[in-house]
Amino acid sequence: MKPRVLEILKRLIAFETVSVDSNLALIEYVRDLLLSKGIESLIVKDESGRKANLFASTGPREVPGMLLSGHTDVVPAAGQAWTVPAFQATVRDGRLYGRGSCDMKGFIALAIDAMLEAADNSLSRPLQLALSHDEEIGCVGVRRLLDVLHLAPVRPFLCIVGEPTDMQFVLGHKGKGSYRTHCRGQEAHSSLAPRAANAIHLACDFITALREGQQRLMLHGAQDSAYDIPYSTVHVGVIDGGKALNIVPNQCSLEFEVRNLPGDDLEQFLDGIRERADALALEARLVSPVASIEIETLNVYPGLDTHPSAEAVRLLQAFAPPDTGTTKVSFGTEGGLFNQRLNVPVVVCGPGSIEQAHKPDEYVEVSQMDAGERFLGALLGSLKS
């Protein structure tokens, strides 16, 4: 690992950019670092002004560029059993430890280094950098940046999202929709339970409808054997309701998600679930007129499905190591949003393994950083005029 890459990564890890906190200090550090080489940055803040995205470009302005993209936020380290300081880089036994080292400040350090090197060269095509906030809570922050880039006269030729993939080319991932369901019933003394609408029972009936929907997707929905789970999935992760055992509960809420293959229409699936919810609520209103089920959308982001024969993919494969394969993953990235909003082909490729992400003692192998450095060095070489 180059000394400059190591120094940048140490600085990045030291910024405690947990999603609930500001990332402005990190963004300002990157902005100043790029400016030291004459590279100006566009800063796009969120409504609160506490968080920001960054976009920078070096090279000719009139042709589409190669865009390197990463998110600056990390998941919390509090409550995890770390044996090294979470927000201090520790290099030991061929690994670099620290929150975000794998997901995904390791790639960001490599991308910044590539931008600094690119500024010292004449390029035939620009090299570009996009940094976002709040990816870990549903790819939230990058959307405002994409609204700006969508208006640019020249869009990127290719976007590389540097999530940890062991430096393999990921061409597809599932989309995701997150939802909260509010089930309303009516209180009563538990000895009179049959005369009241039990909100928890109503929620259980709704969960049964979700599980039936999962079964339909598994048996009759889209299939793609490139995924560990080759069909779209439905999952309930949170449920809350009831105040006391001897009171029929009047409220129950639950949160569920759908991770859909590109071949399954998420809205069509939700329309079916809403119809089933309306039917369940109508039946419950025979007992209590206030019974209802309401589904609230929390967050939705699209999947990714880049064709292996795309020109941009073939270009990357031309200078990638011979053992670089293509695959698909079940976890989501911002790649689908870049593809959808900017109509740009996306390849997800970065150092480290997703197996190390979000865990205590998160780390990235130094050998993976070296491989990422060689890859971006070859990419930069292809851009030199």
Side-chain angles (χ1 to χ4, degrees):
M1 194 185 333
K2 288 165 57 176
R4 184 167 68 183
V5 173
L6 178 58
E7 177 58 28
I8 292 172
L9 182 50
K10 285 182 176 180
R11 291 290 302 274
L12 294 177
I13 289 174
F15 292 107
E16 299 188 22
T17 51
V18 177
S19 299
V20 296
D21 299 321
S22 172
N23 73 332
L24 285 183
L26 183 151
I27 291 294
E28 290 168 356
Y29 162 71
V30 176
R31 178 200 62 195
D32 293 344
L33 198 56
L34 295 176
L35 194 57
S36 70
K37 287 286 189 175
I39 304 173
E40 295 186 351
S41 299
L42 170 68
I43 307 298
V44 180
K45 293 185 178 181
D46 72 346
E47 293 181 354
S48 72
R50 296 179 60 249
K51 299 180 181 181
N53 304 291
L54 177 147
F55 176 79
S57 181
T58 182
R61 298 176 179 269
E62 67 277 4
V63 293
M66 290 282 197
L67 176 61
L68 308 177
S69 175
H71 64 82
T72 62
D73 62 316
V74 297
V75 297
Q80 294 186 332
W82 285 73
T83 64
V84 294
F87 293 100
Q88 177 182 317
T90 301
V91 182
R92 187 176 65 201
D93 300 327
R95 297 172 175 175
L96 191 148
Y97 294 85
R99 174 57 86 219
S101 56
C102 170
D103 183 17
M104 56 182 296
K105 292 179 177 179
F107 174 81
I108 292 175
L110 292 171
I112 294 170
D113 178 72
M115 290 287 291
L116 297 175
E117 184 175 343
D120 292 331
N121 291 272
S122 176
L123 304 181
S124 60
R125 189 187 292 276
L127 185 66
Q128 301 172 323
L129 175 67
L131 300 180
S132 67
H133 64 87
D134 286 348
E135 186 272 349
E136 294 289 4
I137 58 173
C139 302
V140 175
V142 75
R143 298 169 197 252
R144 184 174 284 238
L145 175 61
L146 292 174
D147 287 342
V148 175
L149 298 182
H150 176 73
L151 301 175
V154 181
R155 298 180 184 180
F157 167 74
L158 168 68
C159 176
I160 300 174
V161 176
E163 293 280 4
T165 67
D166 289 311
M167 294 307 300
Q168 300 300 298
F169 290 165
V170 168
L171 303 184
H173 65 70
K174 296 178 180 180
K176 179 183 174 182
S178 303
Y179 307 90
R180 181 179 293 122
T181 302
H182 303 272
C183 299
R184 183 182 181 188
Q186 187 172 35
E187 305 99 319
H189 192 284
S190 61
S191 65
L192 303 175
R195 297 182 182 178
N198 187 312
I200 292 179
H201 290 182
L202 193 55
C204 289
D205 292 340
F206 179 77
I207 291 173
T208 297
L210 290 176
R211 297 186 68 182
E212 290 170 349
Q214 169 69 97
Q215 190 73 1
R216 289 193 298 274
L217 289 171
M218 183 176 67
L219 297 177
H220 307 296
Q223 299 282 323
D224 191 335
S225 60
Y227 289 94
D228 291 340
I229 306 296
Y231 48 84
S232 299
T233 59
V234 184
H235 158 76
V236 178
V238 177
I239 188 167
D240 178 66
K243 299 298 183 182
L245 182 58
N246 60 354
I247 302 174
V248 175
N250 70 337
Q251 295 285 341
C252 185
S253 65
L254 61 95
E255 294 181 16
F256 70 96
E257 68 171 29
V258 183
R259 292 184 181 263
N260 62 298
L261 290 171
D264 283 327
D265 187 321
L266 183 60
E267 280 306 310
Q268 183 177 358
F269 176 81
L270 261 294
D271 286 344
I273 291 298
R274 290 188 179 98
E275 288 180 8
R276 186 74 181 106
D278 289 343
L280 291 171
L282 184 62
E283 183 178 351
R285 282 198 286 273
L286 296 176
V287 178
S288 171
V290 301
S292 64
I293 300 178
E294 297 177 0
I295 302 173
E296 172 191 1
T297 300
L298 300 178
N299 184 267
V300 176
Y301 62 76
L304 176 68
D305 193 18
T306 301
H307 200 280
S309 65
E311 178 186 358
V313 175
R314 294 201 306 270
L315 186 151
L316 288 183
Q317 290 173 327
F319 56 80
D323 60 348
T324 304
T326 61
T327 186
K328 297 180 180 180
V329 295
S330 293
F331 65 84
T333 78
E334 294 173 334
L337 288 166
F338 275 96
N339 176 253
Q340 181 186 77
R341 193 76 175 108
L342 302 184
N343 193 29
V344 56
V346 175
V347 174
V348 183
C349 180
S353 168
I354 197 66
E355 293 291 333
Q356 305 308 325
H358 298 193
K359 293 181 178 180
D361 288 354
E362 176 184 346
Y363 68 84
V364 61
E365 298 276 359
V366 173
S367 61
Q368 281 284 300
M369 292 294 292
D370 291 339
E373 190 176 301
R374 290 191 296 270
F375 172 67
L376 290 187
L379 183 149
L380 179 57
S382 74
L383 301 181
K384 294 179 181 179
S385 55

